[in-house]
Amino acid sequence: MASVGFGPAFAGAHPIRFAIGTGETLMAFTINTNIASLQSQEYLRINTEFQQKTINRVTSGLRIVSSGDDAAGLAIANGFRSDRSVLTQGVRNANDGLSTLQTIDGGINNISQLLDRARTLATQSASGTFTGDRAVLNSEFQNVISEIDRQAKLIGLDAKGIFATKLSVFIGGGRGATTADQIANGKISVDLSTSNIDSKGLGLSGQRVSGALVTDVSGILSDTTNTGSAEVPGWTEFYLRGPGFADSDRVRVSVNLNGVDNAEKLVIAINSAIDQAGSGGTDVSEAFRNAGVRAKLVTDEKNNTRLIFESSNSAFQIAAGDRLANALLGNHESNVGDGLDYSITGAQAAASTGTAFSAARNVVVRVHGGSLAEPVDLTLNVSTSTTVDEALTSLTSAVANNSSLMAAGISVATASAGSKIAFTSKRGENFEVLAVNDVSNVLGLGTAQNGVSTSVTGFDVTSVTSAAVGTGTGAGVLAFSIGGGDYITVSHTFDASTSNTDVASTLNNAFSTNATLQRAGLVASTSAGGALQISSNNGSFFRVSSQTSGANFGFGTVAGSASEASVTTTSFTTAATVNSGGAYATSLLAYDPIRSGDDDQVITVSLKDVSGNDQAVAITLQSDGAEPRGRTIDEALHYINGKLQEHPSEEVRKVVAVKERDPDDGTEKIRFLSPGTEMKVSIGVTPGGAGISSDQGSVVTAEKLDGGADIDIANLANAEAAVTALAQAVAKLGAVQAVVGRGQNQLNFAISIAQTQIINLNASESRIRDADLAAEAANLSKAQVLQQAGIAALAQANATPQAVLSLLQG
């Protein structure tokens, strides 16, 4: 039975509700809420979105049109696409690299043919039956060598070539645990850094040191004066300097002369020693080995065969270690090598035997110069019971057992009471000997002091305090040595009322009027107990010496030497160094030790690298408490070469600074050498003119030295040597061509695998990103049917509330 009920709120906001049914099953009809319509609308919305996505996929061909379609899949697909882009460009890079190597390969083929022609000409000239004009052959030969240089430059494999380096071609697709591993695995490297194939790189030209004539070698080897100068009997020594093995890091080449009685055997022995010196396993020995210095016998244009030392890639200097080696370098008279000893003697004779020191002090004897990177300080702890004989024995032993002095060849030649101490350098290099705290001048090296305390152990001071100033009568003299230089004296007249304030005033007046003392920044002030304090305000090192008897200044009671800083005489040696011809070199640059803290000097070495870019390194020399590096020529050279080796440019690292004795005035001077690069050295100005003293404020340009190792076939002997050199050049060229060929193969394989990766990445991305059009066509049909059905159903659902009206009509 149906029932109709009207509640009292029919006219209000409550819905009209009809329930029709039997038993417990009822169906409700509502007017305000049409559940069926709402459900139909939702399904229609879902179907419409499905249809839109399907249409987007069909029309775009993509399964993922927006990130909402498949965020994770889209991220993976984008990664594949990015990798594909990298690989696509990488293939272009590889093809570019392949083209470059093919061009280089073509140039190498040309050079190979030129070497064939050069060998033909050399072989023709090397024939003893040749009756033509060797000058004509040599003219064509030199043209061939010049063309080799031109071809090498065209393909970028000359000494400054843009491709004479380690080429790296990034392709991508690398795999590894880290990003760095992936990048390393994704690139191809072709190392052409040692593939210079110009005449220098092929060993057909380079740097050369010319030594003694072959005809003199036997006489030199048998001369007793020469053999007697050797440190070890049966041996001779050369010292070589170059980039990475200069000055204090010079390389000693010890040659075993056992069984050597002619030039041919000598060359074998020298090269064996060179190989041994280059196998030390240190940075210095590696740098020396890379310089490629070799001994040879070469016939010059005058048909004179000489002992020579050559390097195709490095400027270098050779110094003799004894008279025999000096003779082999061509420095001899009638086969007797020029003497090398450089000697210095004390300013005064040592005290007579048995004389004891007047005060207990630490006497410090300093030795610097002689290729020492830094000073060597030898401390003698003396007391009032120590005699001059004991001190001299201790000093001699300390010098003999010091490894740095042994390497420098410095020894005590004379050390006896009553005589002047004498020191000798067997290497022929300048050095200095200074002393402090020998207040009574027992050793004869001067009375300089660095303090009045018995516990002072150092040599250099920037501040010193005296004992109490005295009140005697008469003039007193106090001397100052700045950085080991000559003494500068200051006088003060003492009387009964003299105080430390009076003396400080006198000293400060002198400090302000003397240019050397002014640059040292010396300042005198009063100290407790009536003492003086003398200090440098710019870090200059100094020593003081009382020059008059009495304790008026508070610096001892014994009068010191009136004028000398440490030594009286020097004996200059003759030349014992030879620079490699063919190198670019500056003129000889005079050097004065930097002694005051106000004399800092900036030296700038500049040149162009292989790419034509300007390269420069600024080097500051100074002598103060912070970091002294210019007190001697050797200290300056050690620092200069260290800064050159630290520079990132290989061309700058090939520059070396060396010293040599000027034959005109006998002083040691600096010269900069470069193997094949024109360079300039800018020399800064110092207030006192110290440091590199010549050409301050100007730029010095290097010029090529005569005597380079240029191959020729102008005579029979040179032609024979050229045949050998050209055979070696062919082998070197073949090694370079092998590197180029290997690089081409690597790039071809890399292109092949990269193309395979690109194909696979495309396939992988397609599987994720692209739509399956067969499935999407079916989905589109499905969506259309669902949409039509949904619209029809929605129309029916919307018409349902109208059925209520039929109930109301009853």
Side-chain angles (χ1 to χ4, degrees):
M1 167 180 275
S3 64
V4 179
F6 294 93
F10 175 78
H14 296 286
I16 298 175
R17 184 180 180 86
F18 297 91
I20 303 175
T22 59
E24 296 181 354
T25 303
L26 299 175
M27 181 178 67
F29 289 90
T30 63
I31 295 175
N32 288 348
T33 304
N34 190 337
I35 300 301
S37 177
L38 292 175
Q39 290 176 332
S40 297
Q41 291 177 46
E42 176 62 16
Y43 286 128
L44 185 60
R45 182 188 66 77
I46 293 172
N47 290 334
T48 300
E49 286 185 0
F50 176 66
Q51 184 183 40
Q52 289 175 345
K53 285 185 177 181
T54 304
I55 291 173
N56 286 340
R57 289 173 177 173
V58 171
T59 55
S60 68
L62 298 175
R63 183 181 71 84
I64 305 174
V65 178
S66 64
S67 58
D69 295 339
D70 183 355
L74 181 61
I76 296 172
N78 284 344
F80 288 154
R81 184 181 62 190
S82 179
D83 289 345
R84 188 182 73 244
S85 298
V86 170
L87 283 166
T88 300
Q89 182 58 49
V91 169
R92 296 193 191 101
N93 293 346
N95 281 318
D96 290 343
L98 188 59
S99 298
T100 298
L101 291 182
Q102 288 170 345
T103 301
I104 292 173
D105 196 23
I108 292 175
N109 286 329
N110 289 344
I111 292 174
S112 179
Q113 294 177 28
L114 288 167
L115 286 176
D116 292 344
R117 179 56 183 166
R119 292 188 75 184
T120 300
L121 294 170
T123 302
Q124 184 178 6
S125 181
S127 173
T129 59
F130 178 74
T131 57
D133 188 351
R134 284 190 171 88
V136 175
L137 293 180
N138 189 53
S139 177
E140 182 183 353
F141 183 84
Q142 297 303 326
N143 287 337
V144 170
I145 300 300
S146 297
E147 182 61 19
I148 289 175
D149 287 335
R150 194 183 74 85
Q151 291 279 334
K153 187 173 184 179
L154 284 175
I155 60 175
L157 287 185
D158 59 329
K160 298 181 181 180
I162 60 174
F163 297 127
T165 183
K166 188 173 184 178
L167 303 178
S168 180
V169 180
F170 185 72
I171 299 172
R175 295 291 181 265
T178 65
T179 302
D181 291 338
Q182 293 170 9
I183 292 175
N185 187 245
K187 65 182 179 182
I188 298 296
S189 294
V190 182
D191 191 359
L192 296 175
S193 58
T194 59
S195 298
N196 296 347
I197 55 173
D198 56 5
S199 59
K200 182 177 293 186
L202 294 174
L204 305 179
S205 65
Q207 284 74 44
R208 173 183 292 177
V209 168
S210 295
L213 291 170
V214 167
T215 53
D216 295 332
V217 169
S218 296
I220 290 172
L221 293 173
S222 61
D223 184 85
T224 55
T225 301
N226 293 336
T227 56
S229 69
E231 185 174 347
V232 178
W235 294 70
T236 190
E237 293 180 345
F238 298 93
Y239 288 85
L240 281 81
R241 296 174 173 88
F245 54 101
D247 209 60
S248 60
D249 291 326
R250 66 202 182 283
V251 172
R252 181 174 69 174
V253 175
S254 298
V255 184
N256 186 350
L257 298 177
N258 184 33
V260 175
D261 55 9
N262 57 48
E264 290 75 14
K265 293 179 181 179
L266 176 65
V267 167
I268 295 172
I270 292 174
N271 285 329
S272 177
I274 288 173
D275 293 337
Q276 182 67 28
S279 62
T282 65
D283 291 341
V284 172
S285 60
E286 182 180 359
F288 175 64
R289 183 173 65 253
N290 292 338
V293 179
R294 306 302 292 174
K296 297 179 181 179
L297 298 178
V298 173
T299 303
D300 61 22
E301 64 280 358
K302 296 180 180 180
N303 261 341
N304 294 319
T305 303
R306 292 182 177 274
L307 169 69
I308 61 96
F309 296 83
E310 280 187 358
S311 170
S312 63
N313 55 32
S314 180
F316 64 98
Q317 180 192 71
I318 298 184
D322 50 51
R323 297 184 74 164
L324 196 155
N326 209 18
L328 292 175
L329 290 177
N331 300 318
H332 65 87
E333 184 69 33
S334 300
N335 295 337
V336 179
D338 293 343
L340 297 177
D341 289 356
Y342 176 91
S343 301
I344 60 175
T345 57
Q348 297 177 3
S352 59
T353 185
T355 302
F357 286 80
S358 62
R361 301 293 292 274
N362 288 314
V363 177
V364 182
V365 177
R366 165 165 287 186
V367 182
H368 62 181
S371 286
L372 294 170
E374 57 186 8
V376 173
D377 292 340
L378 306 171
T379 301
L380 306 177
N381 194 324
V382 302
S383 66
T384 54
S385 62
T386 304
T387 66
V388 62
D389 309 87
E390 294 169 335
L392 290 173
T393 299
S394 297
L395 177 60
T396 302
S397 176
V399 171
N401 292 301
N402 185 278
S403 59
S404 296
L405 296 179
M406 289 175 62
I410 296 174
S411 61
V412 177
T414 302
S416 58
S419 301
K420 293 181 179 181
I421 300 177
F423 299 82
T424 299
S425 166
K426 292 184 178 181
R427 311 281 181 265
E429 300 178 55
N430 290 16
F431 67 101
E432 286 184 300
V433 179
L434 307 172
V436 292
N437 298 333
D438 182 4
V439 294
S440 54
N441 202 20
V442 172
L443 298 178
L445 297 177
T447 59
Q449 300 180 62
N450 58 12
V452 295
S453 171
T454 59
S455 61
V456 175
T457 58
F459 185 92
D460 289 319
V461 293
T462 57
S463 179
V464 64
T465 302
S466 73
V469 170
T471 57
T473 59
V477 178
L478 192 65
F480 296 86
S481 171
I482 308 302
D486 292 337
Y487 281 125
I488 299 170
T489 58
V490 179
S491 299
H492 179 81
T493 301
F494 291 83
D495 57 35
S497 62
T498 297
S499 67
N500 57 350
T501 302
D502 298 328
V503 178
S505 176
T506 298
L507 292 176
N508 284 325
N509 286 335
F511 295 160
S512 64
T513 56
N514 182 276
T516 300
L517 299 179
Q518 190 175 38
R519 286 195 304 274
L522 295 189
V523 178
S525 60
T526 59
S527 187
L532 291 170
Q533 183 179 42
I534 304 171
S535 59
S536 168
N537 59 20
N538 60 20
S540 295
F541 297 112
F542 65 92
R543 298 172 298 156
V544 297
S545 176
S546 177
Q547 302 288 291
T548 51
S549 300
N552 292 348
F553 283 107
F555 286 104
T557 61
V558 180
S561 172
S563 61
E564 296 297 334
S566 64
V567 297
T568 52
T569 60
T570 59
S571 59
F572 292 102
T573 177
T574 54
T577 58
V578 185
N579 298 318
S580 56
Y584 284 87
T586 63
S587 57
L588 283 174
L589 305 173
Y591 189 84
D592 291 331
I594 298 178
R595 304 190 186 276
S596 72
D598 195 36
D599 272 338
D600 292 6
Q601 182 179 44
V602 178
I603 300 165
T604 303
V605 179
S606 57
L607 48 76
K608 290 187 180 295
D609 62 18
V610 294
S611 301
N613 300 317
D614 291 325
Q615 300 289 345
V617 55
I619 303 165
T620 301
L621 301 178
Q622 62 187 40
S623 178
D624 54 43
E627 187 182 355
R629 51 199 186 215
R631 294 170 293 182
T632 66
I633 189 173
D634 297 283
E635 193 173 76
L637 287 171
H638 180 76
Y639 185 74
I640 290 171
N641 286 312
K643 300 304 289 185
L644 290 171
Q645 287 302 303
E646 291 174 4
H647 199 274
S649 170
E650 183 179 358
E651 279 66 41
V652 173
R653 295 198 301 273
K654 289 181 179 179
V655 177
V656 61
V658 298
K659 67 177 180 180
E660 60 183 276
R661 193 175 300 282
D662 188 336
D664 294 332
D665 59 20
T667 62
E668 288 183 336
K669 297 181 179 180
I670 291 176
R671 192 191 295 273
F672 289 84
L673 301 175
S674 172
T677 304
E678 297 181 13
M679 62 176 169
K680 296 181 178 180
V681 180
S682 174
I683 302 170
V685 177
T686 60
I692 296 181
S693 56
S694 55
D695 299 291
Q696 286 196 358
S698 62
V699 178
V700 178
T701 301
E703 297 182 355
K704 191 173 184 179
L705 296 176
D706 295 333
D710 296 328
I711 193 171
D712 70 79
I713 56 172
N715 55 55
L716 178 62
N718 285 3
E720 291 174 345
V723 170
T724 302
L726 287 166
Q728 296 172 348
V730 170
K732 291 179 182 179
L733 186 68
V736 173
Q737 198 158 21
V739 173
V740 173
R742 184 167 62 248
Q744 292 181 64
N745 291 335
Q746 283 181 286
L747 289 174
N748 277 321
F749 287 126
I751 291 171
S752 177
I753 190 64
Q755 293 287 16
T756 300
Q757 287 177 296
I758 290 172
I759 293 171
N760 290 327
L761 285 171
N762 272 323
S764 299
E765 182 188 3
S766 175
R767 292 187 186 98
I768 297 172
R769 194 189 297 274
D770 292 347
D772 183 348
L773 292 182
E776 297 305 330
N779 287 337
L780 182 59
S781 298
K782 174 183 173 182
Q784 289 171 343
V785 172
L786 286 174
Q787 186 181 44
Q788 292 171 5
I791 292 172
L794 178 60
Q796 291 296 322
N798 288 338
T800 300
Q802 296 178 1
V804 177
L805 295 177
S806 64
L807 296 175
L808 295 176
Q809 290 174 357

